[in-house]
């Protein structure tokens, strides 16, 4: 079975903190994705990566950066967390044509 | 710009009923379409993937159809059960990069 894991299920951070969200997949997938999910707005793509050290902006990259130093790990970085980044963050990886999602990280910024 | 719409936003049915969830998209030039299930506070579970060249896919009590020309997909759930209660999301892939555009989802409640 494909497994995508995220470092935390719940996270509470203060405004201005630097936040790291980690995602790991165990199936040697090349493509990995970060989404955020908000009520009324659905899932929106933040960044994706199609290879190590390669990244592309999604629909809402502002306020975020990413890092992919190893194939299995894709990190989402909030350089200076703000309250409008309170959300559910979902990581996914792609095998063939199908995307597989992690369990999500519920981030609250106070 | 591709837009994906799911109607209805919420649906409540008695156990045992057959039901259809709808998904529509504005640009018919899609690469594939994927249906997901999401339980409250959890991640997404892939249910069915339909390639642009396919008309339908089946898995157990689930059947998904795709009509590219009309920009529509349906997810048919046979003999619904309380365990089917969840939010169902459809997502359209417009290229082989894997980027998906999601609908807002349909929240299904199956009452015993």
């Amino acid at each position: 079975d494909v497994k995508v894991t995220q470092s935390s299920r719940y996270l509470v951070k203060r405004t201005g903190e630097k936040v790291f969200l980690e995602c790991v997949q165990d199936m040697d997938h090349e493509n990995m994705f970060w989404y955020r999910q908000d009520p009324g707005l659905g899932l929106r793509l933040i960044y994706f990566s199609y290879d190590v050290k390669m990244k592309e902006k999604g629909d809402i990259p502002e306020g975020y950066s990413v890092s992919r130093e190893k194939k299995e790990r894709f990190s989402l970085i909030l350089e200076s967390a703000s309250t409008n980044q309170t959300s559910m963050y979902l990581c996914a990886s792609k095998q063939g044509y199908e995307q597989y999602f992690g369990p999500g990280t519920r981030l609250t910024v106070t | 710009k591709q837009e994906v719409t799911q109607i209805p936003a919420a649906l409540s049915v008695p156990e045992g009923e057959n039901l259809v969830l709808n998904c529509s998209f504005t640009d018919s030039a899609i690469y594939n379409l994927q249906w997901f299930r999401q339980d409250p506070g959890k991640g997404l579970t892939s249910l069915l993937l339909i390639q642009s060249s396919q008309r339908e896919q089946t898995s157990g009590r689930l059947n998904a159809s795709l009509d590219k020309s009309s920009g529509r997909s349906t997810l048919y759930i046979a003999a619904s059960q309380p365990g089917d209660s969840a939010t169902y999301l459809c997502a359209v892939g417009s290229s082989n990069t894997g980027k998906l555009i999601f609908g807002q989802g349909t929240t299904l409640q199956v009452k015993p």
Side-chain angles (χ1 to χ4, degrees), chain A residues 20-97:
Chain A
F20 293 86
L21 302 182
E22 304 284 338
C23 175
V24 177
Q25 48 94 3
D26 65 356
M27 287 299 291
D28 202 36
H29 294 176
E30 291 186 348
N31 291 11
M32 296 186 73
F33 307 82
W34 274 107
Y35 297 87
R36 65 177 282 177
Q37 184 177 29
D38 301 286
L41 296 175
L43 276 91
R44 294 176 291 166
L45 181 65
I46 305 171
Y47 266 98
F48 71 102
S49 168
Y50 47 88
D51 203 349
V52 175
K53 297 190 185 295
M54 305 300 283
K55 61 186 179 185
E56 280 203 27
K57 293 179 180 179
D59 298 319
I60 51 163
E62 297 79 18
Y64 303 95
S65 62
V66 290
S67 172
R68 190 149 182 220
E69 297 296 320
K70 293 185 178 181
K71 196 172 187 180
E72 67 270 19
R73 187 180 299 268
F74 191 33
S75 302
L76 180 69
I77 303 158
L78 287 66
E79 295 289 343
S80 178
S82 63
T83 55
N84 63 13
Q85 293 178 310
T86 291
S87 185
M88 173 72 128
Y89 289 87
L90 292 160
C91 173
S93 69
K94 177 171 165 276
Q95 169 71 6
Y97 304 110

Side-chain angles (χ1 to χ4, degrees), chain B residues 19-25 30 32-35 48-59 62-77 90-92:
Chain B
L19 58 102
V20 174
L21 306 181
N22 296 295
C23 173
S24 61
F25 45 94
I30 68 169
N32 54 38
L33 186 144
Q34 199 166 351
W35 282 93
L48 290 164
L49 170 74
I50 311 177
Q51 298 292 2
S52 61
S53 58
Q54 297 174 322
R55 299 282 292 184
E56 64 177 344
Q57 283 285 338
T58 298
S59 176
L62 304 180
N63 175 276
S65 67
L66 175 64
D67 183 345
K68 278 200 316 177
S69 61
S70 66
R72 294 165 75 170
S73 176
T74 60
L75 179 67
Y76 175 81
I77 302 176
C90 79
V92 169

